[in-house]
Amino acid sequence: MIKKIFAVIAAISLFCPAVFAGAAAGTTVFNFLKLPATASQAALAGMASYDSASAPLNPSMAAFQDKPMASASYAAHFQGTSFNSANFTLPLKKFALNAAYGGLNYGDIENVLEDADGGYVKNGTFTADDAYAALSCGLKITEYISAGAGIKYVWQTIDGSKIEGIAFCAAATYVSDYGWYISSGMENAGPDVESYPLPSSAFVSFIDTYEPKDVIPGEFSFGGEVRAFFDNTYWLKASGEYNFKNIVFVRAGYALPLADSNGALGSWYETNFSFGIGFSYEFFKIDYAWLPFGDLGSTNMFSLQITF
């Protein structure tokens, strides 16, 4: 038991968000890497520690997948912007491999040129997109402890011009005998791209599962997370999920920004709620998430997951 407690403390110390507290504020590149990978993750305030489908963000979760699993997600954002992702997890005894893709497309953008009178005229359209291809591995070290690491190749294309970079992630998870577990890690760490830093962050999350057998059928899970970014932005997240016999899932979450060095939060405090539902039958699962963005409207995200 002492060894287990020590392992948890060591993991928290290694990946503690305090590591990031002293980082200088500034503009980051590839901010689409902050987007949730699946609809279930989006509905749970963006927490990446609930299931193995979040392995591109928390690779230690892949170790808990006991069957091959493939998922695909699509989110329709505002002004024609859309995000799509796909990932595949292959368990191999004590470890699992995960391959993933994520892309943000900005749709058609008007191209304008300055005319002789100082005005602007339309000159067709161009496209822009951000994307990543990722590979990660999760290892079950003991019955209670898993760890994982991954790498992403990230690129951005705007009207034919391209920039690219490399991002790394690592995480560890401890599972107790009492239905709760703790996960900690870092995401999107790597060298600067075009003199701009990546949207790197560290997190510690805690999730507990409760089954009120004599009151309500099904299972409840509650989670909380503290996340810190390199640009001195901190988030406190809370989420919950109701699971009825692994058939129906109801999810909700809220992400509260604790600090923003740019002072630009404004009314966004009221727009960080998320909600979602899911349905599962044998090897097939579909999830939906709704996320409000104030005056910008709402985002609807869908995910399809198949277990082989």
Side-chain angles (χ1 to χ4, degrees), residues 214-278:
D214 300 329
V215 183
I216 301 174
E219 184 179 84
F220 289 88
S221 296
F222 303 94
E225 179 180 284
V226 177
R227 181 175 293 271
F229 287 91
F230 268 143
D231 60 3
N232 287 342
T233 301
Y234 305 87
W235 291 82
L236 178 62
K237 300 183 178 184
S239 58
E241 177 184 77
Y242 171 64
N243 174 358
F244 178 72
K245 299 183 177 181
N246 286 323
I247 299 175
V248 179
F249 301 83
V250 180
R251 308 179 179 100
Y254 188 81
L256 175 68
L258 300 179
D260 184 349
S261 58
N262 297 321
L265 289 173
S267 61
W268 285 73
Y269 276 98
E270 295 102 30
T271 62
N272 296 311
F273 175 79
S274 57
F275 174 79
I277 57 176

Side-chain angles (χ1 to χ4, degrees), residues 52-72:
S52 59
S54 298
L57 305 176
N58 183 348
S60 67
M61 299 304 297
F64 298 105
Q65 184 68 29
D66 57 358
K67 295 181 180 180
M69 182 273 294
S71 70

Side-chain angles (χ1 to χ4, degrees), residues 120-205:
Y120 293 92
V121 294
K122 295 180 181 180
N123 186 36
T125 61
F126 65 92
T127 60
D129 61 84
D130 297 332
Y132 69 79
L135 183 65
S136 59
C137 177
L139 172 65
K140 203 164 187 179
I141 300 174
T142 70
E143 182 181 354
Y144 302 94
I145 300 173
S146 71
I151 183 172
K152 291 189 182 99
Y153 168 61
V154 194
W155 68 93
Q156 180 183 80
T157 304
I158 302 178
D159 196 19
S161 299
K162 183 179 181 181
I163 61 173
E164 53 194 354
I166 298 292
F168 301 91
C169 64
T173 299
Y174 170 77
V175 181
S176 77
D177 289 324
Y178 303 101
W180 61 265
Y181 61 95
I182 188 169
S183 192
S184 184
M186 63 177 181
E187 293 179 11
N188 304 318
D192 291 355
V193 177
E194 302 289 328
S195 300
Y196 292 103
L198 298 175
S200 308
S201 67
F203 68 91
V204 175
S205 56

Side-chain angles (χ1 to χ4, degrees), residues 39-89:
S40 60
Q41 183 197 351
L44 293 164
M47 290 182 58
S49 302
Y50 271 89
D51 56 48
S52 59
S54 298
L57 305 176
N58 183 348
S60 67
M61 299 304 297
F64 298 105
Q65 184 68 29
D66 57 358
K67 295 181 180 180
M69 182 273 294
S71 70
S73 302
Y74 175 80
H77 292 282
F78 35 82
Q79 296 296 320
T81 303
S82 63
F83 175 79
N84 58 84
S85 66
N87 78 78
F88 176 73
T89 301

